[in-house]
Each structure stands twice: as structure tokens, then as C-alpha cells.
């Protein structure tokens, strides 16, 4: 019996052509394209890549902001049978070079705006691939639009199922970034879970402002594509531009990280625009402070909030907290239930499952889980031991299956023999009306081992003593900060996550 074709990421394009070829697919600034035009560009993109030597299984690196060119390359690579390597647009030349050396792409497509980084990248990559420039012609390099104009519409080289679809590099905030191997099955499995969750409907309009090299934004793109949504792109997050785009294009859905949620609520034009079109706000990638969540719900009472808890290694969220849960007094403080394609449990240090209510490491398994880390068999085996993806997160599960993430294992502070979870302290601090943002890390101490150190961004005046006293009214004394540092801003990754590793290093150095 001939084996049938498994899940494949180009399937939604075929569906869009059948169901609405002349409907609007993408809006990138003033440029609007239909699904018919988009698929034609994808097929020509595959022809261009094949002409540059891309064969099935070869990697194609893309360094570009959000936009319709990202769609060309994402699906053009799949159409050609290749593996996309979307590069973090906020990395340094050295970090980009590391990903290129590690993944060895057949070709690099780089947006014109990143050309100043190219000389340093070329020096650091011994086997530099051919370079194609998008977003404008550049002397000495092939131009993406010119190549597309001269290309023919290639036949699809169908890869599917467990065939590798993408290498997504982790942020590298705790060391050299690793390439996470995600298959067609993994990415589309999670996209189908999200698209079929009942929280999005055909005809939605999805705004992409979180970077698409991040798995949360990428999985949102794939899920909304399954529902044949319109896709509006902004090259980067800027609160005023996001608010204006929502109002102009009547955006119904958007994915944000908590720092973006706060920026929108704080922006002076937030209340001045009609944002009643927004139906769903998906948020994730980092913990959200309870005070910020309460504020967002109060400011947008008609919006259905959907929290996703997951990681790059799981193709997106392994648990979702749905709109109805946000209206529940206790469930709103959880991180939701496992999605349909994922099995989740809490284990102790010996990988034995713990009963409801007990804290341990969160582990998951299912088709959405990665195949492993690129060229890192030992780390892959350690992360996937026993057939379960070990997330490195501490949490507990209640009797109804709602998971409560307590902290990252590496973010736990050990002070005087007691475990302190930074998220709990941050939750107490964030309730103070003067606190705009905060992060809590351990500071080395000769007597206690570590002490609790808070780094705070204020919106109104407050002293360290006031904030510590505020925490003492809410959490045990040993959990309260012993030191408070005030800053104008916290260091953020390209995905909007607070860089706690950097803060820990600075606390260790006494900065």
C-alpha cells in the first residue's frame, strides 16, 4: 500500500486557492496581495531557490523583518523542499554568523536594511553562502524582486510529515543559541490545535507585529492561515503604529508579549482610537504579571484573551488559557490546559509523576514536539529523555488539569536553604501602583548563598523601602527583596522577553 501524504505546511496555500483565490491575503504597508498573487510568488520563489542550488533538505536562511517577503520565503522554501532558518533580526553580526556556521544554509536572503552587518558576517563565516538582497537593489548582489520577475512557477517538491521544515534558533540568552528542529508535522499540528480551538474564525484579520522568527508569532501566522485570515504586517513593534494599524485595517486578532501589552495600554493614543474590532489578543512568550492582566481585561472588556504557554521546542503553546478562563477567579491565574495534541505532566527529579498540587518540572510529549537540537545529539537526548520534552519550568497542576507555571528552574533563587520563585516576587512587586516593570534575580551572598534582588522600572516615585514593605504585606519575609535597583528600562530580547541572564550577571558583578 502506498503511504499517503502527511501533514505539510503548503497545504493551507492550496486550500486558500480553492476557497478564495482573489481574497486579500497580505497587507504590507501600501502593498496588498491576493492569495492567487501570493501563491504565484511562492512558486516563483521556489524556482529562484532551486536556481541557487537549494535541494530538498537544504537550509535557506532569511534575515528580514515581518512582511510579505517573509511569506514568500517561508512557503517558497517549503515549496522547493527546503528548510527555513529565520534569523533573529536583533542579533549582532557575531550571533548571526554563529547560526549560519551551525546551519550551513545553501543561500542567505537578507533585507536591504541589514546590509551594514554583512561585511562582519562574511568575515566570521568561512563558507559564506550566496547572498540575495530583498527590499531594494544593492550593487554586487542579486536582487530578490528581479529574480522573482524572471522566474517561472515551479512545481512543488512535496515534503511532509516528519521531514524537517524549519530550524528555529533559541534566543541565546543563556549561552550559544541552538537550532530547534521542527518538522512539517510538528508545526502544522500545533497550528491546527490553535486554529481549531474555536477562538478564531474564517475571515479574521491577523496583525503581525511580534517578530516572525519567534515561534509564537510564526505559529500564529500558520494558524490564522488555516482559517484564511487576512495578514497585516508591521516591520517591528511600535505601540502607536500598532494602534493605528488596528483601527485602519479593522484587525480582529493579534499576538503580543506582555511588554507589548503594557506598551499599548500606556500609549497616549490608546483611548483615542476605535479598537472595538479586536476580538482576540493572544499573548505569551513570557510570564504576565497579574496586575497587568487585570488592567488589560479592564481596558478591553470585550476582547477574548488567549494565553499560550510553550516554547520553541514545542512548536508553540503546549497549554492555552481561553477567554472563558480569564473570567474565572482562580483559573485566570493559571497558564491553561494542555492543547489537544499534547500530553503534559509534572515530575520530580527522578521523572516520577507527581500528584495534583505538587511542584515539579513540567514535561510534555506529542506530535508538536521538536525532533531535537541541530547537531547536538547529547543535548537532544537529555531534553527528550524517556520520550518527554523536559521544559526546564517548575509548575504544578490542579485537579482540573490547569497548569500553573511557577518559574524557570534556572530562575529559582536559593536563599538560606529556602527556594524562592522569582515570578511570585515579581507578582507582589507589580501590584504596587508605582511599578511599571520589574524583574527579580538572585544576587550572590556569602552568608545566605543568594539574596533576592529586584530590578524595577517606575511609573511614579517610590523608594526601595516602600517596595520592600509592600512585598512584606503579601509574601513571606524571606521571599522579599533585600535590594532594589531602579532603571529606566529593562533589557529585552528580540521576542520581548526580559533578559534575566544578563540581569543575573550584572547582579553578580555588583552593577
Amino acid at each position: 500500500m502506498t503511504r499517503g501524504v502527511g501533514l505539510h505546511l503548503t497545504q493551507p496555500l492550496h486550500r486558500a486557492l480553492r476557497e478564495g483565490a482573489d481574497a486579500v491575503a497580505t497587507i504590507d504597508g501600501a502593498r496588498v496581495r491576493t492569495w492567487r498573487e501570493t501563491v504565484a510568488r511562492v512558486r516563483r520563489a521556489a524556482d529562484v531557490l532551486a536556481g541557487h542550488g537549494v535541494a530538498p533538505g537544504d537550509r535557506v536562511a532569511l534575515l528580514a523583518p515581518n512582511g510579505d517577503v517573509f511569506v514568500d520565503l517561508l512557503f517558497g522554501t517549503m515549496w522547493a523542499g527546503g528548510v527555513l532558518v529565520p534569523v533573529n533580526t536583533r542579533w549582532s553580526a557575531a550571533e548571526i554568523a554563529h547560526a549560519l556556521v551551525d546551519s550551513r544554509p545553501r543561500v542567505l536572503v537578507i533585507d536591504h536594511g541589514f546590509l551594514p552587518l554583512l561585511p562582519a558576517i562574511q568575515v566570521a563565516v568561512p563558507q559564506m553562502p550566496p547572498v540575495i538582497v530583498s527590499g531594494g537593489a544593492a550593487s554586487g548582489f542579486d536582487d530578490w524582486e528581479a529574480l522573482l520577475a524572471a522566474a517561472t512557477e515551479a512545481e512543488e517538491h512535496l515534503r511532509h510529515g516528519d521531514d524537517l521544515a524549519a530550524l528555529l534558533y533559541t534566543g541565546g540568552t543563556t549561552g550559544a543559541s541552538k537550532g530547534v528542529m521542527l518538522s512539517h508535522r510538528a508545526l502544522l499540528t500545533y497550528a491546527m490545535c490553535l486554529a481549531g480551538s474555536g477562538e478564531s474564525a474564517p475571515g479574521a484579520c491577523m496583525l503581525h507585529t511580534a517578530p516572525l522568527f519567534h515561534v509564537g508569532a510564526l505559529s500564529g501566522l500558520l494558524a490564522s492561515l488555516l482559517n484564511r485570515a487576512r495578514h497585516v504586517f508591521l516591520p517591528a513593534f511600535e505601540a502607536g503604529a500598532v494602534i493605528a494599524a488596528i483601527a485602519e485595517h479593522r484587525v480582529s486578532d493579534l499576538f503580543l508579549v506582555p511588554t507589548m501589552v503594557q506598551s499599548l495600554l500606556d500609549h497616549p493614543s490608546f483611548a483615542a482610537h476605535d479598537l472595538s474590532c479586536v476580538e482576540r489578543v493572544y499573548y505569551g512568550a513570557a510570564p504576565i504579571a497579574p496586575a497587568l492582566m487585570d488592567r488589560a481585561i479592564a481596558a478591553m472588556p470585550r476582547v477574548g484573551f488567549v494565553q499560550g504557554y510553550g516554547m520553541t521546542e514545542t512548536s508553540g503553546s503546549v497549554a492555552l488559557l481561553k477567554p472563558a478562563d480569564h473570567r474565572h477567579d482562580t483559573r485566570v491565574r493559571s497558564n491553561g490546559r494542555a492543547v489537544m495534541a499534547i500530553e503534559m505532566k509534572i515530575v520530580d527529579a527522578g521523572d516520577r509523576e507527581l500528584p495534583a498540587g505538587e511542584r515539579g518540572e513540567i514535561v510534555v510529549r506529542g506530535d508538536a514536539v521538536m525532533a531535537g537540537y541541530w547537531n547536538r545529539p547529547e543535548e537532544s537526548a537529555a531534553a527528550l529523555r524517556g520520550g518527554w520534552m523536559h521544559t526546564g519550568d517548575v509548575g504544578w497542576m490542579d485537579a482540573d488539569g490547569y497548569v500553573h507555571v511557577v518559574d524557570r528552574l534556572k530562575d529559582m533563587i536559593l536563599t538560606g536553604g529556602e527556594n524562592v520563585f522569582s515570578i511570585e516576587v515579581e507578582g507582589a512587586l507589580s501590584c504596587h501602583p508605582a511599578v511599571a516593570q520589574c524583574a527579580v534575580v538572585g544576587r550572590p551572598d556569602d552568608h545566605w548563598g543568594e539574596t533576592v534582588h529586584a530590578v524595577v522600572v517606575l511609573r511614579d516615585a517610590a523608594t526601595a523601602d516602600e517596595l520592600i514593605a509592600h512585598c512584606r504585606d503579601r509574601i513571606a519575609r524571606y521571599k522579599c527583596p533585600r535590594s532594589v535597583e531602579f532603571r529606566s528600562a529593562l533589557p529585552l530580547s528580540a521576542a520581548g522577553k526580559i533578559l534575566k541572564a544578563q540581569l543575573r550577571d550584572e547582579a553578580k558583578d555588583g552593577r
Side-chain angles (χ1 to χ4, degrees):
M1 179 181 294
T2 303
R3 179 172 174 262
V5 174
L7 294 173
H8 55 105
L9 289 168
T10 53
Q11 181 269 342
L13 297 182
H14 294 285
R15 185 178 179 206
L17 278 181
R18 288 193 301 270
E19 297 182 2
D22 295 317
V24 172
T26 63
I27 302 172
D28 187 350
R31 193 166 54 240
V32 179
R33 291 187 176 129
T34 66
W35 287 112
R36 191 186 308 280
E37 293 168 327
T38 297
V39 175
R41 286 178 64 87
V42 164
R43 297 183 68 175
R44 291 199 297 270
D47 185 59
V48 170
L49 296 175
H52 281 71
V54 175
D58 285 344
R59 276 74 60 206
V60 174
L62 173 61
L63 179 59
N66 290 2
D68 50 20
V69 170
F70 197 104
V71 175
D72 294 342
L73 264 297
L74 170 64
F75 294 106
T77 299
M78 308 301 170
W79 204 275
V83 178
L84 187 71
V85 184
V87 179
N88 188 321
T89 56
R90 291 182 62 182
W91 273 349
S92 67
E95 290 167 316
I96 295 169
H98 165 76
L100 296 180
V101 170
D102 189 57
S103 62
R104 299 185 65 179
R106 181 70 67 178
V107 64
L108 166 65
V109 181
I110 182 171
D111 183 81
H112 195 278
F114 297 104
L115 284 178
L117 293 172
L118 194 55
I121 295 171
Q122 290 171 317
V123 168
V125 181
Q127 295 178 309
M128 187 70 191
V131 175
I132 302 173
V133 177
S134 66
S139 178
F141 298 101
D142 284 336
D143 174 67
W144 178 247
E145 291 299 329
L147 291 173
L148 276 187
T152 61
E153 295 188 16
E155 292 297 318
E156 184 173 9
H157 198 300
L158 187 63
R159 280 165 63 84
H160 58 95
D162 293 329
D163 291 331
L164 189 59
L167 275 182
L168 269 60
Y169 277 79
T170 56
T173 57
T174 57
S177 58
K178 297 175 286 191
V180 176
M181 298 189 291
L182 298 178
S183 67
H184 284 259
R185 185 193 312 278
L187 284 165
L188 202 52
T189 291
Y190 173 64
M192 292 170 70
C193 286
L194 188 57
S197 67
E199 308 306 336
S200 181
C205 179
M206 182 80 180
L207 175 63
H208 302 281
T209 182
L212 286 168
F213 60 75
H214 182 272
V215 73
L218 180 60
S219 61
L221 169 68
L222 296 172
S224 54
L225 176 57
L226 284 167
N227 278 329
R228 202 160 41 77
R230 286 180 293 129
H231 299 268
V232 179
F233 297 100
L234 291 179
F237 178 84
E238 193 284 312
V242 170
I243 292 168
I246 291 171
E248 178 184 357
H249 300 293
R250 309 307 295 163
V251 168
S252 61
D253 297 66
L254 62 160
F255 169 76
L256 302 169
V257 300
T259 52
M260 294 177 181
V261 174
Q262 179 162 326
S263 295
L264 288 181
L265 297 178
D266 288 343
H267 198 273
S269 71
F270 177 79
H273 285 76
D274 177 12
L275 306 182
S276 61
C277 54
V278 178
E279 298 177 17
R280 286 161 294 275
V281 172
Y282 301 88
Y283 67 96
I288 191 165
L292 177 57
M293 188 70 262
D294 293 343
R295 185 182 171 203
I297 292 172
M300 295 181 279
R302 294 181 62 255
V303 170
F305 287 92
V306 182
Q307 179 191 156
Y309 159 66
M311 56 200 307
T312 305
E313 288 88 340
T314 58
S315 305
S317 299
V318 292
L320 292 176
L321 188 73
K322 297 184 180 181
D325 298 320
H326 284 78
R327 296 187 290 272
H328 192 283
D329 289 344
T330 57
R331 288 175 182 171
V332 69
R333 301 304 184 209
S334 77
N335 298 90
R337 282 170 162 162
V339 299
M340 291 183 68
I342 285 290
E343 187 179 353
M344 178 187 298
K345 63 181 181 179
I346 312 296
V347 300
D348 63 15
D351 283 344
R352 293 176 290 269
E353 185 170 7
L354 294 170
E358 290 197 22
R359 292 178 174 183
E361 185 176 6
I362 301 168
V363 298
V364 299
R365 68 181 177 187
D367 280 351
V369 172
M370 69 170 182
Y373 296 113
W374 181 257
N375 290 332
R376 294 175 183 245
E378 293 181 1
E379 290 181 59
S380 299
L384 297 168
R385 63 185 182 274
W388 292 81
M389 175 68 213
H390 288 66
T391 66
D393 287 333
V394 177
W396 58 278
M397 191 178 294
D398 65 25
D400 295 318
Y402 285 83
V403 66
H404 299 250
V405 180
V406 178
D407 215 344
R408 291 289 294 167
L409 282 173
K410 65 178 181 291
D411 290 339
M412 188 174 68
I413 302 163
L414 183 60
T415 179
E418 297 281 1
N419 292 334
V420 175
F421 297 100
S422 62
I423 291 177
E424 184 180 7
V425 187
E426 289 160 0
L429 274 170
S430 69
C431 292
H432 194 288
V435 174
Q437 286 183 297
C438 63
V440 170
V441 296
R443 169 176 276 177
D445 184 86
D446 291 339
H447 179 71
W448 298 105
E450 288 182 301
T451 58
V452 179
H453 177 66
V455 185
V456 175
V457 178
L458 292 175
R459 62 163 56 92
D460 294 308
T463 67
D465 287 344
E466 288 174 3
L467 297 182
I468 293 170
H470 168 84
C471 289
R472 286 176 178 166
D473 289 338
R474 288 160 175 79
I475 55 177
R477 190 181 185 92
Y478 73 87
K479 299 177 182 179
C480 295
R482 288 179 175 265
S483 54
V484 179
E485 174 188 351
F486 296 104
R487 297 193 183 187
S488 60
L490 296 178
L492 301 177
S493 73
K497 297 181 182 180
I498 296 171
L499 297 174
K500 283 196 173 180
Q502 179 178 326
L503 293 176
R504 276 195 296 270
D505 289 342
E506 292 170 355
K508 186 186 305 180
D509 295 339
R511 285 181 277 167

